[in-house]
Amino acid sequence: MIHMEYYLVVSTIMFFAGIFGFFYRRNLLAILISIELILNSVDINFAVFNRYLFPGQLEGFFFTLFAIGISAAETAVAIAIIINIYRNIRNIQVSKLDKMKH
Amino acid sequence: MEIVVFYILAAVIVVFSVLTVTTQRILRSATYLLFVLFGTAGIYFQLNYSFLGAVQLTIYAGGIIVLYVFSILLTSPDGDKIATKLPKSKLFAGLVASLAGAVLCIFITLNHTFPVSRFVPGEIDMKTIGFALLGTEKYQYMLPFEAISVLLLACIIGGIMIARKRG
C-alpha cells in the first residue's frame, strides 16, 4: 500500500511548478496553462484525502468532479477573451497589454 | 506492482509539470500539460476512482487541450516562440518563491500526523454516484449540479458574446 503522503508530495511539486509558471511566463496562454496545473494538483489532493481518510463518503469525489467542470468553463471563457484581445492588438504578451488603462 | 506503477506516474507528473513551465515554446508546453493530465488520470485510476479518471480524460485531455492547441495556433502567427525575455532578477525571484513554498509545504506534509488512513480498495458503483449526484437529501448534490449547469450555459453565451466578430 502506498502512503498518502507520497501523493501529497507529487501534487505539491505540481502546484509549485504552476506557481513558478504563473510568475515566469509572459504569454497569456502560458499563464492559463500554469493555472490548469494548479487546479489539477488541488484535484488530486481532494481525491486522495477522500480515498484515504474518509473512504465511506463521497465529498472529495464530487468536489473534484465539480472542479473539473468549473475549470473547463473558466478555460473556455478565458480563451474567448484572449482571442478577442489578439484580434484587437495583434499580441498576447502581457507587457503589450496596456491599452485598457485609458 | 502497485508501487512501481505509482513511481512511474509520479515521475511522469513531476518531470512533465516542470517541463510545462520551463520550455520556451508554447505549443510544447500544451503537449507536456497533456502528459501531466494523463498522469493525473492514472492516479485517479489507481485510487479506484474510475469515473473520475474517465471524466479527467474526456474533459481535460479531450476537450481543453484541443481548445488550447487551437487558440495557440490562432494567436501565434510568428512561430510559437516566447517573444519577450524576462530579466534575470524576475526569474530568480520566481524560482526562490516557488522553491521555498514547495520545501515548506513538503516539510509540513511529511511532519504532520494525519488521522489513521483506512484505504478501502474497491470501486464505487455507478448507481451510488448517480443517486448522490441527483438526490436532494443530505450529502447529495442536486443543487451544485444545477448551479454548474447554469454556469455552463452562462459560459456558452459569454464565450459567444466575447469572441464573436463585431460587424
Side-chain angles (χ1 to χ4, degrees):
Chain A
M1 190 188 120
I2 303 151
H3 283 289
M4 190 177 82
E5 284 84 357
Y6 294 169
Y7 289 108
L8 299 185
V9 167
V10 170
S11 81
T12 306
I13 293 173
M14 195 162 141
F15 183 87
F16 282 100
I19 297 260
F20 173 71
F22 194 81
F23 286 149
Y24 177 54
R25 308 300 289 271
R26 295 289 90 178
N27 187 317
L28 280 179
L29 280 170
I31 290 175
L32 206 58
I33 285 176
S34 307
I35 293 176
E36 290 302 323
L37 275 182
I38 295 174
L39 284 170
N40 211 50
S41 75
V42 176
D43 285 352
I44 293 180
N45 270 13
F46 276 125
V48 168
F49 280 133
N50 191 2
R51 175 53 92 183
Y52 276 86
L53 297 184
F54 306 99
Q57 288 160 289
L58 282 174
E59 270 80 38
F61 182 90
F62 280 110
F63 224 101
T64 308
L65 204 60
F66 289 136
I68 290 174
I70 287 180
S71 74
E74 166 250 324
T75 306
V77 172
I79 283 180
I81 292 174
I82 289 173
I83 288 179
N84 206 11
I85 288 173
Y86 178 75
R87 201 178 279 149
N88 281 326
I89 65 172
R90 294 278 139 200
N91 209 320
I92 54 169
Q93 302 293 325
V94 175
S95 52
K96 303 274 169 51
L97 288 182
D98 47 7
K99 282 246 173 85
M100 277 190 283
K101 275 189 203 164
H102 308 298
Chain B
M1 180 62 194
E2 200 177 313
I3 293 180
V4 174
V5 172
F6 171 74
Y7 278 126
I8 294 172
L9 285 177
V12 165
I13 287 179
V14 168
V15 168
F16 281 113
S17 56
V18 171
L19 277 178
T20 302
V21 293
T22 52
T23 182
Q24 286 299 311
R25 290 169 175 271
I26 179 138
L27 199 55
R28 279 187 199 169
S29 178
T31 314
Y32 295 145
L33 178 70
L34 176 66
F35 288 121
V36 174
L37 298 177
F38 277 147
T40 312
I43 279 187
Y44 292 151
F45 283 126
Q46 204 185 21
L47 291 172
N48 270 323
Y49 286 144
S50 297
F51 181 66
L52 214 51
V55 167
Q56 170 94 0
L57 282 182
T58 48
I59 293 183
Y60 261 122
I64 292 183
I65 291 293
V66 175
L67 212 58
Y68 272 119
V69 170
F70 271 114
S71 58
I72 286 168
L73 295 179
L74 276 176
T75 56
S76 309
D78 46 344
D80 46 2
K81 278 267 175 53
I82 299 222
T84 51
K85 292 295 267 181
L86 274 183
K88 277 276 187 286
S89 61
K90 286 271 182 63
L91 168 66
F92 187 68
L95 209 57
V96 166
S98 46
L99 273 183
V103 168
L104 191 66
C105 275
I106 290 175
F107 178 74
I108 291 173
T109 305
L110 293 181
N111 274 324
H112 184 254
T113 47
F114 288 100
V116 185
S117 60
R118 306 155 284 157
F119 188 89
V120 185
E123 194 65 45
I124 309 169
D125 61 338
M126 223 33 235
K127 208 170 182 178
T128 318
I129 296 174
F131 276 114
L133 193 60
L134 289 179
T136 50
E137 319 255 306
K138 198 181 178 191
Y139 299 126
Q140 292 182 328
Y141 293 88
M142 187 71 176
L143 190 63
F145 184 81
E146 292 298 331
I148 279 212
S149 64
V150 173
L151 175 79
L152 284 175
L153 180 67
C155 281
I156 294 171
I157 298 172
I160 294 172
M161 285 297 290
I162 291 170
R164 86 193 150 120
K165 261 206 160 62
R166 287 185 179 77

